[in-house]
Amino acid sequence: MAAGTIRYWAAAKAAAGTAEEPYAATTLAEALDAARRRHPGELVRVLMRCSFLVDGDPVGTRRHETVRLAEGGTVEVLPPFAGG
């Protein structure tokens, strides 16, 4: 299990009520599931529309269960982008 930071931007930041928080997870799916448990309600809905960067790399259409997280890594939770 890796420990790192989730950074929330825009609507995700408002829904989580924080700009960032730590994660302890092996995959992006595990980190996001934990975030949903900590912040039920609006964040659950917002995460369905967000894009994600893991250590600066776009996740794109990869399944979140396949995206491994690194020790000391960063997950950026970004709003959807126009045209993207």
Side-chain angles (χ1 to χ4, degrees):
M1 184 169 295
T5 303
I6 298 177
R7 290 192 184 131
Y8 298 104
W9 298 96
K13 179 180 173 181
T18 187
E20 64 181 48
E21 62 188 359
Y23 70 73
T26 303
T27 66
L28 178 58
E30 290 173 7
L32 294 177
D33 286 345
R36 288 181 189 99
R37 286 191 301 275
R38 282 191 302 275
H39 309 286
E42 186 62 22
L43 184 63
V44 173
R45 290 182 287 281
V46 169
L47 288 177
M48 290 189 291
R49 299 185 313 265
C50 287
S51 299
F52 305 94
L53 297 177
V54 174
D55 298 330
D57 294 324
V59 171
T61 59
R62 289 183 288 161
R63 291 176 37 143
H64 296 170
E65 297 84 7
T66 67
V67 180
R68 308 241 347 135
L69 300 179
E71 182 68 28
T74 302
V75 174
E76 305 279 348
V77 181
L78 306 168
F81 294 100

